[in-house]
Structure formats: structure tokens, C-alpha cells
């Protein structure tokens, strides 16, 4: 129970290295493409006097009395202030003043990494103050946008600063705890990547260092404190402020985001009553936006520009009349549009999980969620998700249920939900549920997964479990089956299975077990 294994550390180091290499390329390439003298590098005084390194791009030919809408772009985790220069140039050409700044604790900006804490939120307001005093920015037309960390800070700043009228949050988070601690289970590869990248490119605060220490040590005595720390940094905590302020919110994410899974964005979206938009595509964390950071054509950034054009410039570009929920299946094809998230998941079909099955814990059965970034990028580029031979999975360590063969294609859209009854032999334990598309030869392609951890249960006493798998869009071909697999070890997560533990899954007559599959209407 508890500590990450050597394999996890090796994977995390590799992932951090790949992220930093990619980050360097992303940071340098836009700078190389920016026109000479088109950017001004400045120092902005943030909260408490902390110096924030920033750059400003202003529309060409701006006169003394001109006023333009302002866009503020906080940088992503671990990336330098030149991250957005290619997009900033395009936005300035479209008539915006754009200020991008390196968030505190990273690179040359001062302070420590606070993970979108109160100092970061105050910094965003100080950057707005600076821009209004030192650029031809219009105080009545202010927006914020960013990728990943920049997305989270943009949302939180908008909740706390009424001057922000529109936000585009790309590959960000709405609920930090539901992102890296869903199902009461540590998403260890994701957290290790963030910890490693933060240590290599910035200065983690003492509080953050303690948070990571407690997180990886599985210190249950500090769990409530960890959750409170995360909720304070979660835009979903402040949904009432968004609704009161009327802030227009655009959310974009990828189905396979292994740092900020899409469920938490969809839940937040449903609670908003403001002008809003939700876009979900194949890929992993920030991979859908990456080409736009090089200045290349990119539909996420194109829609971001349209979002601000309408809400800050009053452009009648039709974005307000489009269906606000846009999904693209991982299996290919174009966008599907829906009036809301509930319509995506309105139809479902249950697969009964009959019979009683007992599995032993502490062994990876061969079913797992893959490797952070690598697996979802392969799925995005080549439609090759993690795979497993379902007939060969050892039933000692994996519980397996399968549907009948489907005569027609099944279009999975939304959030699959598992309901079952578990009887443990130990008071703690972890399980991971996987949904597979199984072909004629028994090869399963991963559709979705999610972990679940319990503590303080009475050994031998059954209890019910309801688990939402990560939302997705996937097309199961005719002639294939769906399979639900449950085991207890996955390299993406920290498991809490004491030695010698066993889990028994049953389906009581008065409370039958099932997995509910969300399907697009035919």
C-alpha cells in the first residue's frame, strides 16, 4: 500500500523529460516565427511585489486614443513566457492587446509555485491593472485564456475578478481533486509528472512540497487537508460566482487527458448558467492545442478567437447560435453537436454483471490504462489505444463480463457507470474498471477506465459501489462485443491493496450489478 514503485518513477521521469523537451520546442518555435519588434518584454509587479516576466503584443498602428479588447494569457505549467507568442501575434492582428505572463514560481518570474492559489489569482488581477495603465486596452472588454495551468488560473481569476468578461480554458481543470484523486485514488503518473516538471523548471512552495509528500505517502490523516487544498483551487467551487458575474466560458479538453480527465469539465459545464461552450476531442493533455502554439491552423484556437470576437468585440459570427456542445469521436469522423451535455448521455443500455466472481489483489492482470501521454497520443494519431487479449486475462486477478455480439455499430458517447456489490477480505483496497471494445479474435481495445479505492470497510461485509468511468466518444463496430474488466493494479494509479487481499463481486437479486453504457441515438 502507498508508495510509488520503481517502474512508476521510471515512467514519470521519462514523461517529465518528454514534456520538457516538447515545452522547449513549443516555447522557442513561436518566438522564432514572431515578426521583428512585434513584442515588448516587460516586468509586471504581481501580488506582494513579486516580479512577473511578461510580454505584450499590440495591434499595429495603434494610436494614442485607440482602445482594444484585452486578452491575458497565463503560461502553462513549466513553460516559459514565449509559449503563446504565435497566437498572441494572430490575436493582435485581429485587434486585441495581448499580455502573456510567466506565472509565479516558474522560470524568471519571482515567487514560488502556489498551484493556482490566492497569490496566483491576485497576480492575474495585477496583470490586468498593469495592462489597463500601460497599453491601449479597453477596461470594459477583458478576456483570459490559457492551456493547462493557464486555463485553470484563467477560470479562477474570472471567478474572482468581475472585469473578466470571457474565458477560454483549454485542457484545464474545473475540479482539481476529481482530476488527480478521483475515486479516492492517487493518479500517480500525472502527479509525478507535475511534481517533476515543477521541480525542474520552477520553485515549489513549502506547502506544495508537503502536499506532494502526503499525496504519494497515502497519508490518510492528511486527506481532509489535501481535499480542502484542492477545492480551494477548483473553479467548480466558485460556480455561483461565474453565474452571478455572467462570464462567458468556453471549455475544451481531450477524451484521453491523463492529467485532467474530461468528466470534471462536463460536470462543471452543466452547472454553468452563463453563455458557455464545451468541446471534446481525441488526444491527451494539451495535444489538441499544440499545433496552434506553433502558429499552425488549429480548430481549438480558431474557435477561441471566434469566442472572444463575439463576447468581447460583439462580432455576429454565429458562435452563439451553434449547438454549444461539440464532440469528436476517437474512432474518426467529424464533429457532433448537442444542445447540452445531458443530451449526449440521454440514451443508455445496461450490461448485467451476473454471477459471483472473486479475484486476488496486488497483481496487474494485463488490463491497464497505458502510459501517460504516450497511450492517448497513439490513440489520437493512429487510433491505437491500450489493448489486452480478453480471453487470456487471468481470471485469478481479473473479473471479466462481456456483452453479446452487436449486430450494428454501437456509438458510445458520454460516461459509462458501474454499479456493483463488493465483499472485501481487508478493510482497504483498490480496483480499476476498464471498458473494452472486443473484436472477433478477443483483442480488446480500451474505451475507458477509472479507479476506485475504499478504506475502513469491515472485512467480509458487502457494500455497494457506484463508479463513473472517464467520459469518452468511441464507435464499437458491428460484430464486436463490449467487455467490462476489473482488476486491482494499474501503473497510472497508486493502489491500496494489503497483501493477500481478495475482492468478491456479486449481484444480489434486490440490487443487481450492471455497467450502464451511454449511447448516441441511432
Amino acid at each position: 500500500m502507498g508508495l510509488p514503485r520503481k517502474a512508476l518513477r521510471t515512467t514519470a521521469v521519462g514523461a517529465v523529460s518528454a514534456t520538457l523537451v516538447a515545452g522547449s520546442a513549443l516555447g522557442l518555435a513561436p518566438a522564432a516565427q514572431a515578426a521583428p519588434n512585434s513584442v515588448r518584454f516587460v516586468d509586471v509587479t504581481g501580488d506582494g511585489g513579486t516580479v512577473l516576466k511578461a510580454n505584450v503584443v499590440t495591434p499595429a498602428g495603434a494610436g494614442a486614443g485607440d482602445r482594444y479588447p484585452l486578452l491575458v494569457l497565463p503560461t502553462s505549467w513549466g513553460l516559459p513566457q514565449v509559449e503563446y507568442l504565435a497566437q498572441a501575434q494572430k490575436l493582435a492582428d485581429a485587434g486585441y492587446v495581448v499580455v502573456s505572463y510567466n506565472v509565479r514560481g516558474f522560470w524568471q518570474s519571482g515567487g514560488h509555485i502556489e498551484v493556482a492559489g490566492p497569490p496566483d489569482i491576485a497576480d492575474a488581477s495585477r496583470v490586468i491593472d498593469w495592462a489597463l495603465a500601460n497599453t491601449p486596452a479597453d477596461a470594459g472588454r477583458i478576456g483570459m485564456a490559457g492551456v493547462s495551468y493557464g486555463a485553470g488560473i484563467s477560470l479562477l481569476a474570472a471567478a474572482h475578478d468581475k472585469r473578466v468578461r470571457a474565458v477560454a480554458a483549454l485542457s484545464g481543470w474545473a475540479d482539481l481533486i476529481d482530476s488527480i484523486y478521483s475515486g479516492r485514488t492517487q493518479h500517480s503518473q500525472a502527479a509525478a509528472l507535475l511534481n517533476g516538471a515543477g521541480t525542474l523548471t520552477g520553485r515549489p512552495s513549502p506547502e506544495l512540497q508537503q502536499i506532494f509528500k502526503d499525496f504519494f505517502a497515502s497519508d490518510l490523516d492528511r486527506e481532509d487537508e489535501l481535499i480542502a487544498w484542492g477545492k480551494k483551487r477548483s473553479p467548480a467551487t466558485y460556480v455561483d460566482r461565474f453565474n452571478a458575474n455572467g462570464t462567458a466560458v468556453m471549455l475544451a479538453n481531450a477524451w484521453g487527458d491523463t492529467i485532467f480527465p474530461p468528466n470534471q469539465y462536463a460536470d462543471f459545464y452543466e452547472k454553468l448558467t452563463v453563455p458557455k461552450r464545451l468541446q471534446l476531442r481525441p488526444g491527451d493533455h494539451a495535444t489538441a492545442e499544440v499545433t496552434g502554439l506553433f502558429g499552425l491552423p488549429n480548430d481549438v484556437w480558431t474557435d477561441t478567437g471566434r469566442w472572444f470576437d463575439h463576447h468581447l468585440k460583439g462580432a455576429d459570427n454565429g458562435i452563439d447560435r451553434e449547438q454549444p456542445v461539440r464532440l469528436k469521436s476517437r474512432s474518426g469522423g467529424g464533429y457532433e453537436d448537442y444542445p447540452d451535455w445531458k443530451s449526449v448521455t440521454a440514451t443508455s443500455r445496461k450490461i448485467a454483471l451476473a454471477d459471483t466472481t472473486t479475484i486476488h489483489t496486488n497483481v496487474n492482470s494485463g488490463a491497464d490504462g497505458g502510459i501517460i501521454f504516450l497511450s492517448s497520443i497513439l490513440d489520437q494519431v493512429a487510433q491505437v489505444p491500450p489493448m489486452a487479449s480478453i480471453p487470456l486475462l487471468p481470471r485469478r486477478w481479473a473479473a471479466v463480463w462481456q456483452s453479446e455480439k452487436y449486430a450494428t455499430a454501437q456509438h458510445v458517447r458520454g460516461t459509462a457507470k458501474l454499479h456493483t456489490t463488493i465483499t472485501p477480505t481487508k478493510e482497504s483496497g483498490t480496483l480499476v474498471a476498464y471498458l473494452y471494445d472486443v473484436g472477433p479474435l478477443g483483442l480488446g481495445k480500451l474505451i475507458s477506465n477509472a479507479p476506485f479505492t475504499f478504506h475502513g470497510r469491515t472485512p467480509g461485509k458487502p457494500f455497494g459501489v457506484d463508479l463513473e468511468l472517464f467520459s469518452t466518444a468511441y464507435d464499437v463496430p458491428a460484430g464486436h462485443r463490449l467487455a467490462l474488466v476489473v482488476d486491482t493494479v494499474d501503473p497510472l494509479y497508486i493502489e491500496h491493496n494489503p497483501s493477500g487481499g481478495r475482492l468478491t463481486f456479486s449481484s444480489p437479486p434486490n440490487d443487481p450489478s450492471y455497467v450502464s453504457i451511454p449511447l448516441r441515438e441511432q
Side-chain angles (χ1 to χ4, degrees):
M1 171 180 174
L3 296 177
R5 292 170 170 76
K6 182 178 180 181
L8 164 63
R9 293 195 296 268
T10 302
T11 301
V13 169
V16 169
S17 301
T19 300
L20 294 179
V21 170
S24 298
L26 293 177
L28 295 177
Q33 295 175 10
N37 304 317
S38 62
V39 60
R40 180 162 56 106
F41 291 88
V42 299
D43 289 348
V44 176
T45 301
D47 185 55
T50 298
V51 174
L52 305 174
K53 296 295 181 177
N55 57 71
V56 184
V57 186
T58 305
D66 294 332
R67 286 292 178 265
Y68 301 91
L70 169 66
L71 293 180
V72 175
L73 312 179
T75 52
S76 301
W77 186 274
L79 294 190
Q81 60 160 309
V82 292
E83 175 187 4
Y84 300 115
L85 276 183
Q87 283 301 320
Q89 185 63 52
K90 288 187 174 184
L91 290 165
D93 290 344
Y96 294 90
V97 173
V98 185
V99 180
S100 175
Y101 71 97
N102 228 136
V103 293
R104 66 169 53 225
F106 285 103
W107 295 90
Q108 294 177 310
S109 285
H112 292 86
I113 303 171
E114 304 288 349
V115 193
D120 292 297
I121 298 170
D123 283 346
S125 292
R126 300 293 82 74
V127 172
I128 292 173
D129 294 341
W130 182 93
L132 294 177
N134 295 277
T135 74
D138 184 345
R141 296 184 292 168
I142 299 173
M144 291 191 67
V147 176
S148 184
Y149 194 40
I153 290 177
S154 293
L155 284 172
L156 287 162
H160 290 80
D161 192 326
K162 295 181 180 180
R163 295 176 297 179
V164 180
R165 303 309 306 153
V167 174
L170 316 180
S171 289
W173 75 91
D175 189 326
L176 192 57
I177 293 300
D178 198 40
S179 295
I180 62 173
Y181 193 54
S182 70
R184 210 178 178 187
T185 309
Q186 295 97 326
H187 294 212
S188 48
Q189 283 190 21
L193 186 147
L194 294 172
N195 187 25
T199 300
L200 288 174
T201 63
R203 299 167 300 281
S205 67
E207 180 187 35
L208 178 57
Q209 294 177 48
Q210 186 63 48
I211 287 290
F212 274 124
K213 180 180 179 181
D214 296 339
F215 182 89
F216 287 116
S218 303
D219 189 346
L220 291 178
D221 290 337
R222 303 293 294 273
E223 184 181 37
D224 290 343
E225 183 178 337
L226 170 68
I227 292 173
W229 176 89
K231 292 299 183 185
K232 189 175 184 179
R233 290 159 169 80
S234 296
T237 301
Y238 310 102
V239 66
D240 290 345
R241 295 190 184 185
F242 285 97
N243 293 335
N245 294 343
T247 312
V249 177
M250 172 179 161
L251 306 170
N253 205 349
W255 294 120
D257 195 320
T258 41
I259 297 181
F260 304 129
N263 296 46
Q264 41 92 35
Y265 252 14
D267 291 343
F268 177 57
Y269 175 86
E270 281 294 276
K271 296 174 183 177
L272 291 170
T273 59
V274 298
K276 57 185 179 178
R277 187 176 182 89
L278 175 65
Q279 302 185 177
L280 296 168
R281 306 167 174 83
D284 204 313
H285 185 64
T287 61
E289 300 88 7
V290 67
T291 56
L293 294 179
F294 286 95
L296 300 174
N298 181 279
D299 60 344
V300 188
W301 284 103
T302 296
D303 283 346
T304 296
R306 294 176 64 226
W307 187 251
F308 287 129
D309 285 349
H310 178 73
H311 290 287
L312 297 183
K313 296 168 70 174
D316 185 14
N317 56 17
I319 198 168
D320 58 319
R321 295 186 294 275
E322 296 171 358
Q323 299 275 50
V325 176
R326 304 200 75 202
L327 313 181
K328 183 178 284 189
S329 171
R330 291 165 45 205
S331 304
Y335 282 103
E336 302 168 4
D337 298 331
Y338 299 84
D340 50 39
W341 179 251
K342 291 179 181 179
S343 298
V344 177
T345 60
T347 302
S348 64
R349 177 180 299 167
K350 291 182 179 179
I351 299 173
L353 309 180
D355 303 325
T356 298
T357 302
T358 298
I359 62 173
H360 294 251
T361 63
N362 296 308
V363 173
N364 187 341
S365 69
D368 62 52
I371 298 173
I372 189 171
F373 284 133
L374 177 61
S375 298
S376 291
I377 291 175
L378 282 174
D379 186 36
Q380 176 184 5
V381 173
Q383 295 181 15
V384 180
M387 300 183 188
S389 175
I390 303 304
L392 297 182
L393 290 176
R395 276 22 179 200
R396 178 180 176 86
W397 296 296
V400 179
W401 297 268
Q402 295 192 71
S403 73
E404 75 284 358
K405 288 184 180 180
Y406 294 111
T408 59
Q410 304 295 298
H411 305 287
V412 179
R413 299 290 186 273
T415 309
K417 300 177 181 180
L418 168 64
H419 174 75
T420 189
T421 296
I422 297 177
T423 304
T425 60
K426 305 289 185 179
E427 66 174 14
S428 295
T430 296
L431 63 90
V432 184
Y434 309 89
L435 185 66
Y436 283 98
D437 160 24
V438 185
L441 299 180
L443 183 64
K445 294 183 177 181
L446 186 65
I447 298 175
S448 184
N449 77 97
F452 177 84
T453 293
F454 61 89
H455 296 289
R457 292 291 177 175
T458 302
K461 183 177 180 179
F463 64 94
V465 170
D466 288 287
L467 175 63
E468 290 191 349
L469 278 63
F470 300 135
S471 303
T472 194
Y474 183 96
D475 300 322
V476 180
H480 286 214
R481 305 173 186 266
L482 285 172
L484 181 79
V485 177
V486 179
D487 71 2
T488 62
V489 175
D490 190 301
L492 289 173
Y493 314 112
I494 291 179
E495 50 90 5
H496 299 261
N497 294 298
S499 298
R502 296 187 306 279
L503 301 177
T504 296
F505 301 89
S506 58
S507 184
N510 61 340
D511 187 20
S513 296
Y514 61 86
V515 58
S516 177
I517 309 298
L519 298 173
R520 188 186 76 193
E521 292 186 5
Q522 302 298 319

